[in-house]
Amino acid sequence: MQKAIYYHAGCPVCLEAEDQILAALDSNKYQVEIIDLREEKAEITKAENLGVKSVPALVLNGLPFHINFGAALVDLKNEVTQ
Amino acid sequence: MQKAIYYHAGCPVCLEAEDQILAALDSNKYQVEIIDLREEKAEITKAENLGVKSVPALVLNGLPFHINFGAALVDLKNEVTQ
């Protein structure tokens, strides 16, 4: 199984993308992990290290793909530390 | 079968996304059409009408998802008419 990680922050853009994109992934090939960066703040740095710059983002086999444009991680970092 | 349309313009960002994203789609659920907007200029307006603003973009069941940021359709339009 290959690994897909879907990073989001609960925004409407994120949820729409989650519904459509994750349903479209081949579940026989990909094990999908869904991470809400508002709830799992420790994952923000891990996401950044994978090249994630905004959410929603889908990481396929370690390669980040940014979907539409929801929220920049920089803004999210500021929000969670306030 | 549901319909997926992948719009691109041959850019490196587009090709990387094409390899990864299209391979990850469930081929039992989705019939995928790949359109190179440099070659099929008449499709640019159709893509715009679907809400596509930049390529690469994946349209799933009529909903557009912009992947990373390759090229704005506005720029592409200018390029093909020059």
PDB file of all heavy atoms in Angstrom, chain A residues 16-17 20-21 23-27 29-30 58 60-61 63-68, chain B residues 16-17 20-21 23-27 29-30 58 60-61 63-68:
ATOM      1  N   GLU A  16     -14.724  20.383   1.203  1.00  0.00           N
ATOM      2  CA  GLU A  16     -15.188  20.063  -0.148  1.00  0.00           C
ATOM      3  C   GLU A  16     -14.144  19.211  -0.861  1.00  0.00           C
ATOM      4  O   GLU A  16     -14.462  18.193  -1.478  1.00  0.00           O
ATOM      5  CB  GLU A  16     -15.448  21.344  -0.940  1.00  0.00           C
ATOM      6  CG  GLU A  16     -16.038  21.081  -2.318  1.00  0.00           C
ATOM      7  CD  GLU A  16     -16.223  22.374  -3.103  1.00  0.00           C
ATOM      8  OE1 GLU A  16     -15.219  22.967  -3.547  1.00  0.00           O
ATOM      9  OE2 GLU A  16     -17.364  22.789  -3.270  1.00  0.00           O
ATOM     10  N   ALA A  17     -12.887  19.630  -0.740  1.00  0.00           N
ATOM     11  CA  ALA A  17     -11.808  18.879  -1.392  1.00  0.00           C
ATOM     12  C   ALA A  17     -11.693  17.482  -0.782  1.00  0.00           C
ATOM     13  O   ALA A  17     -11.496  16.499  -1.496  1.00  0.00           O
ATOM     14  CB  ALA A  17     -10.488  19.635  -1.250  1.00  0.00           C
ATOM     15  N   GLN A  20     -14.429  15.118  -2.188  1.00  0.00           N
ATOM     16  CA  GLN A  20     -14.271  14.750  -3.591  1.00  0.00           C
ATOM     17  C   GLN A  20     -12.965  14.004  -3.864  1.00  0.00           C
ATOM     18  O   GLN A  20     -12.963  12.965  -4.529  1.00  0.00           O
ATOM     19  CB  GLN A  20     -14.320  16.006  -4.477  1.00  0.00           C
ATOM     20  CG  GLN A  20     -15.659  16.706  -4.459  1.00  0.00           C
ATOM     21  CD  GLN A  20     -16.735  15.937  -5.223  1.00  0.00           C
ATOM     22  OE1 GLN A  20     -16.452  15.284  -6.222  1.00  0.00           O
ATOM     23  NE2 GLN A  20     -17.956  15.999  -4.743  1.00  0.00           N
ATOM     24  N   ILE A  21     -11.867  14.554  -3.367  1.00  0.00           N
ATOM     25  CA  ILE A  21     -10.555  14.001  -3.705  1.00  0.00           C
ATOM     26  C   ILE A  21     -10.357  12.635  -3.033  1.00  0.00           C
ATOM     27  O   ILE A  21      -9.943  11.675  -3.681  1.00  0.00           O
ATOM     28  CB  ILE A  21      -9.418  14.960  -3.273  1.00  0.00           C
ATOM     29  CG1 ILE A  21      -9.598  16.328  -3.923  1.00  0.00           C
ATOM     30  CG2 ILE A  21      -8.051  14.344  -3.565  1.00  0.00           C
ATOM     31  CD1 ILE A  21      -9.005  16.495  -5.279  1.00  0.00           C
ATOM     32  N   ALA A  23     -12.566  10.547  -2.019  1.00  0.00           N
ATOM     33  CA  ALA A  23     -13.462   9.546  -2.610  1.00  0.00           C
ATOM     34  C   ALA A  23     -12.930   9.065  -3.953  1.00  0.00           C
ATOM     35  O   ALA A  23     -13.231   7.950  -4.386  1.00  0.00           O
ATOM     36  CB  ALA A  23     -14.863  10.132  -2.774  1.00  0.00           C
ATOM     37  N   ALA A  24     -12.153   9.909  -4.604  1.00  0.00           N
ATOM     38  CA  ALA A  24     -11.652   9.564  -5.933  1.00  0.00           C
ATOM     39  C   ALA A  24     -10.375   8.733  -5.891  1.00  0.00           C
ATOM     40  O   ALA A  24     -10.002   8.105  -6.882  1.00  0.00           O
ATOM     41  CB  ALA A  24     -11.403  10.843  -6.739  1.00  0.00           C
ATOM     42  N   LEU A  25      -9.705   8.724  -4.739  1.00  0.00           N
ATOM     43  CA  LEU A  25      -8.450   7.958  -4.642  1.00  0.00           C
ATOM     44  C   LEU A  25      -8.736   6.458  -4.668  1.00  0.00           C
ATOM     45  O   LEU A  25      -9.742   5.998  -4.145  1.00  0.00           O
ATOM     46  CB  LEU A  25      -7.712   8.296  -3.339  1.00  0.00           C
ATOM     47  CG  LEU A  25      -7.053   9.657  -3.227  1.00  0.00           C
ATOM     48  CD1 LEU A  25      -6.292   9.743  -1.907  1.00  0.00           C
ATOM     49  CD2 LEU A  25      -6.115   9.928  -4.383  1.00  0.00           C
ATOM     50  N   ASP A  26      -7.818   5.738  -5.240  1.00  0.00           N
ATOM     51  CA  ASP A  26      -7.947   4.292  -5.327  1.00  0.00           C
ATOM     52  C   ASP A  26      -7.617   3.668  -3.964  1.00  0.00           C
ATOM     53  O   ASP A  26      -6.461   3.615  -3.554  1.00  0.00           O
ATOM     54  CB  ASP A  26      -6.985   3.772  -6.403  1.00  0.00           C
ATOM     55  CG  ASP A  26      -7.231   2.301  -6.705  1.00  0.00           C
ATOM     56  OD1 ASP A  26      -7.815   1.603  -5.852  1.00  0.00           O
ATOM     57  OD2 ASP A  26      -6.851   1.860  -7.799  1.00  0.00           O
ATOM     58  N   SER A  27      -8.652   3.201  -3.287  1.00  0.00           N
ATOM     59  CA  SER A  27      -8.458   2.689  -1.920  1.00  0.00           C
ATOM     60  C   SER A  27      -7.730   1.348  -1.905  1.00  0.00           C
ATOM     61  O   SER A  27      -7.310   0.876  -0.856  1.00  0.00           O
ATOM     62  CB  SER A  27      -9.805   2.576  -1.202  1.00  0.00           C
ATOM     63  OG  SER A  27     -10.677   1.767  -1.953  1.00  0.00           O
ATOM     64  N   LYS A  29      -4.974   1.041  -3.577  1.00  0.00           N
ATOM     65  CA  LYS A  29      -3.561   1.411  -3.708  1.00  0.00           C
ATOM     66  C   LYS A  29      -3.078   2.273  -2.548  1.00  0.00           C
ATOM     67  O   LYS A  29      -1.924   2.238  -2.186  1.00  0.00           O
ATOM     68  CB  LYS A  29      -3.341   2.217  -4.997  1.00  0.00           C
ATOM     69  CG  LYS A  29      -3.371   1.420  -6.281  1.00  0.00           C
ATOM     70  CD  LYS A  29      -2.887   2.323  -7.422  1.00  0.00           C
ATOM     71  CE  LYS A  29      -3.343   1.860  -8.767  1.00  0.00           C
ATOM     72  NZ  LYS A  29      -3.314   2.966  -9.756  1.00  0.00           N
ATOM     73  N   TYR A  30      -3.998   3.097  -2.005  1.00  0.00           N
ATOM     74  CA  TYR A  30      -3.572   4.101  -1.034  1.00  0.00           C
ATOM     75  C   TYR A  30      -4.224   3.931   0.333  1.00  0.00           C
ATOM     76  O   TYR A  30      -5.432   3.753   0.433  1.00  0.00           O
ATOM     77  CB  TYR A  30      -3.879   5.513  -1.547  1.00  0.00           C
ATOM     78  CG  TYR A  30      -2.898   5.947  -2.595  1.00  0.00           C
ATOM     79  CD1 TYR A  30      -3.106   5.640  -3.932  1.00  0.00           C
ATOM     80  CD2 TYR A  30      -1.731   6.616  -2.238  1.00  0.00           C
ATOM     81  CE1 TYR A  30      -2.176   5.992  -4.898  1.00  0.00           C
ATOM     82  CE2 TYR A  30      -0.807   6.973  -3.202  1.00  0.00           C
ATOM     83  CZ  TYR A  30      -1.036   6.660  -4.523  1.00  0.00           C
ATOM     84  OH  TYR A  30      -0.123   7.006  -5.461  1.00  0.00           O
ATOM     85  N   LEU A  58      -2.584  17.453  -0.324  1.00  0.00           N
ATOM     86  CA  LEU A  58      -2.552  15.995  -0.384  1.00  0.00           C
ATOM     87  C   LEU A  58      -1.105  15.591  -0.647  1.00  0.00           C
ATOM     88  O   LEU A  58      -0.506  16.053  -1.619  1.00  0.00           O
ATOM     89  CB  LEU A  58      -3.452  15.514  -1.526  1.00  0.00           C
ATOM     90  CG  LEU A  58      -3.568  14.006  -1.728  1.00  0.00           C
ATOM     91  CD1 LEU A  58      -4.313  13.351  -0.564  1.00  0.00           C
ATOM     92  CD2 LEU A  58      -4.317  13.712  -3.031  1.00  0.00           C
ATOM     93  N   LEU A  60       1.201  12.630  -1.665  1.00  0.00           N
ATOM     94  CA  LEU A  60       1.194  11.281  -2.251  1.00  0.00           C
ATOM     95  C   LEU A  60       2.629  10.785  -2.315  1.00  0.00           C
ATOM     96  O   LEU A  60       3.452  11.399  -2.997  1.00  0.00           O
ATOM     97  CB  LEU A  60       0.608  11.308  -3.667  1.00  0.00           C
ATOM     98  CG  LEU A  60      -0.870  11.660  -3.814  1.00  0.00           C
ATOM     99  CD1 LEU A  60      -1.228  11.760  -5.298  1.00  0.00           C
ATOM    100  CD2 LEU A  60      -1.747  10.623  -3.136  1.00  0.00           C
ATOM    101  N   ASN A  61       2.908   9.700  -1.606  1.00  0.00           N
ATOM    102  CA  ASN A  61       4.264   9.154  -1.598  1.00  0.00           C
ATOM    103  C   ASN A  61       5.312  10.220  -1.310  1.00  0.00           C
ATOM    104  O   ASN A  61       6.354  10.269  -1.957  1.00  0.00           O
ATOM    105  CB  ASN A  61       4.563   8.492  -2.954  1.00  0.00           C
ATOM    106  CG  ASN A  61       3.600   7.368  -3.249  1.00  0.00           C
ATOM    107  OD1 ASN A  61       3.249   6.597  -2.357  1.00  0.00           O
ATOM    108  ND2 ASN A  61       3.146   7.287  -4.486  1.00  0.00           N
ATOM    109  N   LEU A  63       5.232  13.409  -1.903  1.00  0.00           N
ATOM    110  CA  LEU A  63       5.189  14.608  -2.755  1.00  0.00           C
ATOM    111  C   LEU A  63       3.945  15.433  -2.432  1.00  0.00           C
ATOM    112  O   LEU A  63       2.826  14.913  -2.498  1.00  0.00           O
ATOM    113  CB  LEU A  63       5.132  14.218  -4.235  1.00  0.00           C
ATOM    114  CG  LEU A  63       6.431  13.881  -4.954  1.00  0.00           C
ATOM    115  CD1 LEU A  63       6.122  13.478  -6.393  1.00  0.00           C
ATOM    116  CD2 LEU A  63       7.377  15.085  -4.952  1.00  0.00           C
ATOM    117  N   PRO A  64       4.119  16.733  -2.110  1.00  0.00           N
ATOM    118  CA  PRO A  64       2.961  17.541  -1.741  1.00  0.00           C
ATOM    119  C   PRO A  64       2.227  18.146  -2.940  1.00  0.00           C
ATOM    120  O   PRO A  64       2.857  18.645  -3.876  1.00  0.00           O
ATOM    121  CB  PRO A  64       3.586  18.662  -0.895  1.00  0.00           C
ATOM    122  CG  PRO A  64       4.950  18.818  -1.461  1.00  0.00           C
ATOM    123  CD  PRO A  64       5.375  17.474  -1.986  1.00  0.00           C
ATOM    124  N   PHE A  65       0.903  18.072  -2.900  1.00  0.00           N
ATOM    125  CA  PHE A  65       0.069  18.741  -3.903  1.00  0.00           C
ATOM    126  C   PHE A  65      -0.899  19.643  -3.166  1.00  0.00           C
ATOM    127  O   PHE A  65      -1.665  19.180  -2.317  1.00  0.00           O
ATOM    128  CB  PHE A  65      -0.695  17.721  -4.758  1.00  0.00           C
ATOM    129  CG  PHE A  65       0.231  16.878  -5.577  1.00  0.00           C
ATOM    130  CD1 PHE A  65       0.586  15.618  -5.157  1.00  0.00           C
ATOM    131  CD2 PHE A  65       0.795  17.372  -6.738  1.00  0.00           C
ATOM    132  CE1 PHE A  65       1.481  14.848  -5.888  1.00  0.00           C
ATOM    133  CE2 PHE A  65       1.690  16.615  -7.471  1.00  0.00           C
ATOM    134  CZ  PHE A  65       2.031  15.352  -7.054  1.00  0.00           C
ATOM    135  N   HIS A  66      -0.822  20.940  -3.478  1.00  0.00           N
ATOM    136  CA  HIS A  66      -1.710  21.904  -2.831  1.00  0.00           C
ATOM    137  C   HIS A  66      -2.981  21.996  -3.640  1.00  0.00           C
ATOM    138  O   HIS A  66      -2.934  22.164  -4.861  1.00  0.00           O
ATOM    139  CB  HIS A  66      -1.019  23.264  -2.746  1.00  0.00           C
ATOM    140  CG  HIS A  66       0.270  23.183  -1.972  1.00  0.00           C
ATOM    141  ND1 HIS A  66       1.476  22.999  -2.578  1.00  0.00           N
ATOM    142  CD2 HIS A  66       0.506  23.201  -0.638  1.00  0.00           C
ATOM    143  CE1 HIS A  66       2.424  22.931  -1.645  1.00  0.00           C
ATOM    144  NE2 HIS A  66       1.862  23.038  -0.467  1.00  0.00           N
ATOM    145  N   ILE A  67      -4.094  21.894  -2.965  1.00  0.00           N
ATOM    146  CA  ILE A  67      -5.373  21.877  -3.660  1.00  0.00           C
ATOM    147  C   ILE A  67      -6.090  23.192  -3.409  1.00  0.00           C
ATOM    148  O   ILE A  67      -6.299  23.583  -2.256  1.00  0.00           O
ATOM    149  CB  ILE A  67      -6.223  20.687  -3.169  1.00  0.00           C
ATOM    150  CG1 ILE A  67      -5.472  19.382  -3.446  1.00  0.00           C
ATOM    151  CG2 ILE A  67      -7.577  20.689  -3.836  1.00  0.00           C
ATOM    152  CD1 ILE A  67      -5.994  18.219  -2.663  1.00  0.00           C
ATOM    153  N   ASN A  68      -6.451  23.855  -4.504  1.00  0.00           N
ATOM    154  CA  ASN A  68      -7.053  25.185  -4.403  1.00  0.00           C
ATOM    155  C   ASN A  68      -6.216  26.036  -3.455  1.00  0.00           C
ATOM    156  O   ASN A  68      -5.016  25.869  -3.364  1.00  0.00           O
ATOM    157  CB  ASN A  68      -8.514  25.100  -3.956  1.00  0.00           C
ATOM    158  CG  ASN A  68      -9.381  24.477  -5.047  1.00  0.00           C
ATOM    159  OD1 ASN A  68      -9.021  24.497  -6.222  1.00  0.00           O
ATOM    160  ND2 ASN A  68     -10.497  23.929  -4.665  1.00  0.00           N
TER     161      ASN A  68
ATOM    162  N   GLU B  16       4.280  16.528 -13.309  1.00  0.00           N
ATOM    163  CA  GLU B  16       4.482  15.845 -12.046  1.00  0.00           C
ATOM    164  C   GLU B  16       3.132  15.511 -11.406  1.00  0.00           C
ATOM    165  O   GLU B  16       2.911  14.396 -10.934  1.00  0.00           O
ATOM    166  CB  GLU B  16       5.299  16.726 -11.088  1.00  0.00           C
ATOM    167  CG  GLU B  16       5.632  16.032  -9.799  1.00  0.00           C
ATOM    168  CD  GLU B  16       6.396  16.951  -8.842  1.00  0.00           C
ATOM    169  OE1 GLU B  16       5.784  17.877  -8.277  1.00  0.00           O
ATOM    170  OE2 GLU B  16       7.589  16.732  -8.670  1.00  0.00           O
ATOM    171  N   ALA B  17       2.243  16.504 -11.422  1.00  0.00           N
ATOM    172  CA  ALA B  17       0.916  16.284 -10.845  1.00  0.00           C
ATOM    173  C   ALA B  17       0.169  15.214 -11.630  1.00  0.00           C
ATOM    174  O   ALA B  17      -0.522  14.361 -11.054  1.00  0.00           O
ATOM    175  CB  ALA B  17       0.128  17.588 -10.836  1.00  0.00           C
ATOM    176  N   GLN B  20       1.359  11.654 -10.651  1.00  0.00           N
ATOM    177  CA  GLN B  20       1.003  11.225  -9.300  1.00  0.00           C
ATOM    178  C   GLN B  20      -0.506  11.162  -9.084  1.00  0.00           C
ATOM    179  O   GLN B  20      -1.030  10.181  -8.564  1.00  0.00           O
ATOM    180  CB  GLN B  20       1.617  12.180  -8.266  1.00  0.00           C
ATOM    181  CG  GLN B  20       3.124  12.142  -8.241  1.00  0.00           C
ATOM    182  CD  GLN B  20       3.669  10.856  -7.612  1.00  0.00           C
ATOM    183  OE1 GLN B  20       3.069  10.314  -6.704  1.00  0.00           O
ATOM    184  NE2 GLN B  20       4.781  10.370  -8.114  1.00  0.00           N
ATOM    185  N   ILE B  21      -1.169  12.230  -9.475  1.00  0.00           N
ATOM    186  CA  ILE B  21      -2.608  12.337  -9.166  1.00  0.00           C
ATOM    187  C   ILE B  21      -3.418  11.343  -9.997  1.00  0.00           C
ATOM    188  O   ILE B  21      -4.268  10.619  -9.468  1.00  0.00           O
ATOM    189  CB  ILE B  21      -3.125  13.768  -9.436  1.00  0.00           C
ATOM    190  CG1 ILE B  21      -2.331  14.789  -8.621  1.00  0.00           C
ATOM    191  CG2 ILE B  21      -4.628  13.865  -9.180  1.00  0.00           C
ATOM    192  CD1 ILE B  21      -2.819  15.031  -7.226  1.00  0.00           C
ATOM    193  N   ALA B  23      -2.463   8.593 -11.344  1.00  0.00           N
ATOM    194  CA  ALA B  23      -2.184   7.217 -10.934  1.00  0.00           C
ATOM    195  C   ALA B  23      -2.921   6.879  -9.643  1.00  0.00           C
ATOM    196  O   ALA B  23      -3.220   5.712  -9.377  1.00  0.00           O
ATOM    197  CB  ALA B  23      -0.678   7.024 -10.731  1.00  0.00           C
ATOM    198  N   ALA B  24      -3.220   7.912  -8.849  1.00  0.00           N
ATOM    199  CA  ALA B  24      -3.871   7.677  -7.560  1.00  0.00           C
ATOM    200  C   ALA B  24      -5.389   7.575  -7.675  1.00  0.00           C
ATOM    201  O   ALA B  24      -6.054   7.079  -6.767  1.00  0.00           O
ATOM    202  CB  ALA B  24      -3.505   8.800  -6.592  1.00  0.00           C
ATOM    203  N   LEU B  25      -5.948   8.039  -8.800  1.00  0.00           N
ATOM    204  CA  LEU B  25      -7.405   7.989  -8.957  1.00  0.00           C
ATOM    205  C   LEU B  25      -7.880   6.555  -9.142  1.00  0.00           C
ATOM    206  O   LEU B  25      -7.197   5.725  -9.739  1.00  0.00           O
ATOM    207  CB  LEU B  25      -7.845   8.810 -10.175  1.00  0.00           C
ATOM    208  CG  LEU B  25      -7.749  10.323 -10.086  1.00  0.00           C
ATOM    209  CD1 LEU B  25      -8.319  10.945 -11.360  1.00  0.00           C
ATOM    210  CD2 LEU B  25      -8.507  10.852  -8.875  1.00  0.00           C
ATOM    211  N   ASP B  26      -9.051   6.293  -8.631  1.00  0.00           N
ATOM    212  CA  ASP B  26      -9.640   4.960  -8.751  1.00  0.00           C
ATOM    213  C   ASP B  26     -10.176   4.776 -10.173  1.00  0.00           C
ATOM    214  O   ASP B  26     -11.195   5.355 -10.550  1.00  0.00           O
ATOM    215  CB  ASP B  26     -10.773   4.828  -7.728  1.00  0.00           C
ATOM    216  CG  ASP B  26     -11.283   3.404  -7.634  1.00  0.00           C
ATOM    217  OD1 ASP B  26     -11.072   2.631  -8.602  1.00  0.00           O
ATOM    218  OD2 ASP B  26     -11.877   3.063  -6.601  1.00  0.00           O
ATOM    219  N   SER B  27      -9.471   3.954 -10.937  1.00  0.00           N
ATOM    220  CA  SER B  27      -9.842   3.786 -12.349  1.00  0.00           C
ATOM    221  C   SER B  27     -11.130   2.980 -12.518  1.00  0.00           C
ATOM    222  O   SER B  27     -11.691   2.918 -13.607  1.00  0.00           O
ATOM    223  CB  SER B  27      -8.694   3.136 -13.127  1.00  0.00           C
ATOM    224  OG  SER B  27      -8.354   1.904 -12.517  1.00  0.00           O
ATOM    225  N   LYS B  29     -13.754   3.829 -10.825  1.00  0.00           N
ATOM    226  CA  LYS B  29     -14.825   4.810 -10.591  1.00  0.00           C
ATOM    227  C   LYS B  29     -14.799   5.944 -11.603  1.00  0.00           C
ATOM    228  O   LYS B  29     -15.825   6.530 -11.914  1.00  0.00           O
ATOM    229  CB  LYS B  29     -14.651   5.441  -9.195  1.00  0.00           C
ATOM    230  CG  LYS B  29     -15.031   4.569  -8.035  1.00  0.00           C
ATOM    231  CD  LYS B  29     -15.062   5.455  -6.773  1.00  0.00           C
ATOM    232  CE  LYS B  29     -14.934   4.652  -5.507  1.00  0.00           C
ATOM    233  NZ  LYS B  29     -14.468   5.496  -4.392  1.00  0.00           N
ATOM    234  N   TYR B  30     -13.574   6.291 -12.081  1.00  0.00           N
ATOM    235  CA  TYR B  30     -13.430   7.497 -12.884  1.00  0.00           C
ATOM    236  C   TYR B  30     -12.909   7.220 -14.284  1.00  0.00           C
ATOM    237  O   TYR B  30     -11.922   6.498 -14.462  1.00  0.00           O
ATOM    238  CB  TYR B  30     -12.492   8.503 -12.204  1.00  0.00           C
ATOM    239  CG  TYR B  30     -13.165   9.204 -11.070  1.00  0.00           C
ATOM    240  CD1 TYR B  30     -13.183   8.629  -9.806  1.00  0.00           C
ATOM    241  CD2 TYR B  30     -13.841  10.400 -11.279  1.00  0.00           C
ATOM    242  CE1 TYR B  30     -13.843   9.253  -8.763  1.00  0.00           C
ATOM    243  CE2 TYR B  30     -14.503  11.026 -10.243  1.00  0.00           C
ATOM    244  CZ  TYR B  30     -14.500  10.449  -8.987  1.00  0.00           C
ATOM    245  OH  TYR B  30     -15.160  11.062  -7.954  1.00  0.00           O
ATOM    246  N   LEU B  58      -7.818  19.617 -11.779  1.00  0.00           N
ATOM    247  CA  LEU B  58      -8.555  18.370 -11.912  1.00  0.00           C
ATOM    248  C   LEU B  58     -10.021  18.678 -11.658  1.00  0.00           C
ATOM    249  O   LEU B  58     -10.365  19.239 -10.620  1.00  0.00           O
ATOM    250  CB  LEU B  58      -8.034  17.363 -10.875  1.00  0.00           C
ATOM    251  CG  LEU B  58      -8.668  15.979 -10.865  1.00  0.00           C
ATOM    252  CD1 LEU B  58      -8.298  15.212 -12.145  1.00  0.00           C
ATOM    253  CD2 LEU B  58      -8.207  15.191  -9.635  1.00  0.00           C
ATOM    254  N   LEU B  60     -13.509  17.076 -10.964  1.00  0.00           N
ATOM    255  CA  LEU B  60     -14.167  15.828 -10.562  1.00  0.00           C
ATOM    256  C   LEU B  60     -15.662  16.083 -10.514  1.00  0.00           C
ATOM    257  O   LEU B  60     -16.123  16.914  -9.731  1.00  0.00           O
ATOM    258  CB  LEU B  60     -13.691  15.379  -9.179  1.00  0.00           C
ATOM    259  CG  LEU B  60     -12.227  14.960  -9.026  1.00  0.00           C
ATOM    260  CD1 LEU B  60     -11.917  14.671  -7.560  1.00  0.00           C
ATOM    261  CD2 LEU B  60     -11.928  13.723  -9.870  1.00  0.00           C
ATOM    262  N   ASN B  61     -16.407  15.371 -11.346  1.00  0.00           N
ATOM    263  CA  ASN B  61     -17.861  15.550 -11.380  1.00  0.00           C
ATOM    264  C   ASN B  61     -18.261  17.017 -11.491  1.00  0.00           C
ATOM    265  O   ASN B  61     -19.179  17.470 -10.818  1.00  0.00           O
ATOM    266  CB  ASN B  61     -18.500  14.942 -10.120  1.00  0.00           C
ATOM    267  CG  ASN B  61     -18.201  13.466  -9.999  1.00  0.00           C
ATOM    268  OD1 ASN B  61     -18.211  12.746 -10.982  1.00  0.00           O
ATOM    269  ND2 ASN B  61     -17.907  13.017  -8.795  1.00  0.00           N
ATOM    270  N   LEU B  63     -16.661  19.666 -10.488  1.00  0.00           N
ATOM    271  CA  LEU B  63     -16.077  20.574  -9.482  1.00  0.00           C
ATOM    272  C   LEU B  63     -14.576  20.724  -9.728  1.00  0.00           C
ATOM    273  O   LEU B  63     -13.853  19.729  -9.762  1.00  0.00           O
ATOM    274  CB  LEU B  63     -16.262  20.016  -8.079  1.00  0.00           C
ATOM    275  CG  LEU B  63     -17.589  20.241  -7.371  1.00  0.00           C
ATOM    276  CD1 LEU B  63     -17.550  19.573  -5.998  1.00  0.00           C
ATOM    277  CD2 LEU B  63     -17.863  21.730  -7.196  1.00  0.00           C
ATOM    278  N   PRO B  64     -14.099  21.985  -9.877  1.00  0.00           N
ATOM    279  CA  PRO B  64     -12.677  22.174 -10.180  1.00  0.00           C
ATOM    280  C   PRO B  64     -11.798  22.182  -8.928  1.00  0.00           C
ATOM    281  O   PRO B  64     -12.148  22.802  -7.919  1.00  0.00           O
ATOM    282  CB  PRO B  64     -12.657  23.556 -10.831  1.00  0.00           C
ATOM    283  CG  PRO B  64     -13.804  24.278 -10.214  1.00  0.00           C
ATOM    284  CD  PRO B  64     -14.846  23.237  -9.862  1.00  0.00           C
ATOM    285  N   PHE B  65     -10.670  21.497  -9.004  1.00  0.00           N
ATOM    286  CA  PHE B  65      -9.652  21.550  -7.954  1.00  0.00           C
ATOM    287  C   PHE B  65      -8.343  21.963  -8.593  1.00  0.00           C
ATOM    288  O   PHE B  65      -7.865  21.304  -9.528  1.00  0.00           O
ATOM    289  CB  PHE B  65      -9.516  20.183  -7.267  1.00  0.00           C
ATOM    290  CG  PHE B  65     -10.758  19.791  -6.538  1.00  0.00           C
ATOM    291  CD1 PHE B  65     -11.674  18.937  -7.113  1.00  0.00           C
ATOM    292  CD2 PHE B  65     -11.028  20.333  -5.292  1.00  0.00           C
ATOM    293  CE1 PHE B  65     -12.857  18.621  -6.456  1.00  0.00           C
ATOM    294  CE2 PHE B  65     -12.200  20.017  -4.619  1.00  0.00           C
ATOM    295  CZ  PHE B  65     -13.117  19.155  -5.200  1.00  0.00           C
ATOM    296  N   HIS B  66      -7.798  23.081  -8.120  1.00  0.00           N
ATOM    297  CA  HIS B  66      -6.534  23.571  -8.657  1.00  0.00           C
ATOM    298  C   HIS B  66      -5.410  22.931  -7.885  1.00  0.00           C
ATOM    299  O   HIS B  66      -5.410  22.940  -6.657  1.00  0.00           O
ATOM    300  CB  HIS B  66      -6.484  25.097  -8.559  1.00  0.00           C
ATOM    301  CG  HIS B  66      -7.627  25.740  -9.284  1.00  0.00           C
ATOM    302  ND1 HIS B  66      -8.802  26.055  -8.660  1.00  0.00           N
ATOM    303  CD2 HIS B  66      -7.776  26.066 -10.580  1.00  0.00           C
ATOM    304  CE1 HIS B  66      -9.641  26.580  -9.559  1.00  0.00           C
ATOM    305  NE2 HIS B  66      -9.040  26.593 -10.736  1.00  0.00           N
ATOM    306  N   ILE B  67      -4.455  22.404  -8.605  1.00  0.00           N
ATOM    307  CA  ILE B  67      -3.362  21.681  -7.962  1.00  0.00           C
ATOM    308  C   ILE B  67      -2.093  22.522  -8.057  1.00  0.00           C
ATOM    309  O   ILE B  67      -1.688  22.913  -9.156  1.00  0.00           O
ATOM    310  CB  ILE B  67      -3.161  20.304  -8.635  1.00  0.00           C
ATOM    311  CG1 ILE B  67      -4.451  19.494  -8.510  1.00  0.00           C
ATOM    312  CG2 ILE B  67      -2.004  19.569  -8.004  1.00  0.00           C
ATOM    313  CD1 ILE B  67      -4.531  18.326  -9.445  1.00  0.00           C
ATOM    314  N   ASN B  68      -1.495  22.775  -6.895  1.00  0.00           N
ATOM    315  CA  ASN B  68      -0.328  23.650  -6.841  1.00  0.00           C
ATOM    316  C   ASN B  68      -0.617  24.914  -7.638  1.00  0.00           C
ATOM    317  O   ASN B  68      -1.740  25.362  -7.717  1.00  0.00           O
ATOM    318  CB  ASN B  68       0.920  22.925  -7.349  1.00  0.00           C
ATOM    319  CG  ASN B  68       1.360  21.834  -6.367  1.00  0.00           C
ATOM    320  OD1 ASN B  68       1.016  21.894  -5.192  1.00  0.00           O
ATOM    321  ND2 ASN B  68       2.093  20.865  -6.837  1.00  0.00           N
TER     322      ASN B  68
END
